[in-house]
Amino acid sequence: QVQLVESGGGLVQTGGSLRLSCAASGRTFSSYDMGWFRQTSGKEREFVAAIVWSAASTYYADSVKGRFTISRDNAKNTVYLQMNSLKPEDTAVYYCAAKSHLSTGLRLAAGYDYWGQGTPVTVSS
């Protein structure tokens, strides 16, 4: 069982930056692939970024590539999402999620086993 708690969301102006953190409980954090998703009202949860258990590979949605960076610190049981050059269309509730590294589907919300409660990000124009 893994419990995830996000933090770092807030209100920022266009072009600004935020750093989201996701703290995980449990001693097996390093065996989980981690992902960030976002969701706006009335829309499906959208893939943002993912990082494999070893941090050897990262993946990004085209809409955030070059602006967002996902990273993890397995010693601290934490995954991060550095968001730069934010745009109003980045406004959403951001969720972190964990999945076993043995399963596939890093970009699919359905492939993740554990979810945090979400942290809201609002980018004003």
Side-chain angles (χ1 to χ4, degrees), residues 3 7 10 13 18 28 37 45 49 54 60-61 65 74 79 83 99 108 112:
Q3 291 185 324
S7 61
Q13 291 186 332
L18 282 175
T28 58
F37 291 76
R45 202 161 288 189
S54 64
Y60 297 94
K65 200 172 295 182
N74 285 345
V79 62
M83 305 187 296
K99 60 177 279 300
L108 301 175
Y112 287 77

Side-chain angles (χ1 to χ4, degrees), residues 68-115:
F68 290 11
T69 302
I70 188 171
S71 61
R72 67 189 296 161
D73 185 337
N74 285 345
K76 295 183 178 180
N77 281 13
T78 302
V79 62
Y80 305 97
L81 185 67
Q82 178 67 43
M83 305 187 296
N84 298 329
S85 302
L86 282 162
K87 306 174 181 180
E89 50 263 44
D90 295 318
T91 295
V93 177
Y94 283 71
Y95 298 88
C96 75
K99 60 177 279 300
S100 168
H101 73 279
L102 299 176
S103 64
T104 59
L106 276 165
R107 296 176 182 266
L108 301 175
Y112 287 77
D113 303 303
Y114 305 101
W115 292 85

Side-chain angles (χ1 to χ4, degrees), residues 107-125:
R107 296 176 182 266
L108 301 175
Y112 287 77
D113 303 303
Y114 305 101
W115 292 85
Q117 82 289 349
T119 185
V121 171
T122 302
V123 184
S124 62
S125 56

Side-chain angles (χ1 to χ4, degrees), residues 2-76:
V2 176
Q3 291 185 324
L4 304 172
V5 179
E6 302 98 333
S7 61
L11 174 63
V12 64
Q13 291 186 332
T14 297
S17 298
L18 282 175
R19 188 194 196 202
L20 305 184
S21 299
C22 174
S25 64
R27 295 177 292 177
T28 58
F29 175 76
S30 60
S31 68
Y32 287 91
D33 297 333
M34 299 297 295
W36 285 98
F37 291 76
R38 64 188 182 187
Q39 189 171 24
T40 55
S41 181
K43 293 189 177 181
E44 292 187 356
R45 202 161 288 189
E46 173 191 25
F47 170 76
V48 175
I51 186 167
V52 299
W53 64 277
S54 64
S57 298
T58 57
Y59 304 84
Y60 297 94
D62 288 343
S63 59
V64 306
K65 200 172 295 182
R67 299 188 299 122
F68 290 11
T69 302
I70 188 171
S71 61
R72 67 189 296 161
D73 185 337
N74 285 345
K76 295 183 178 180

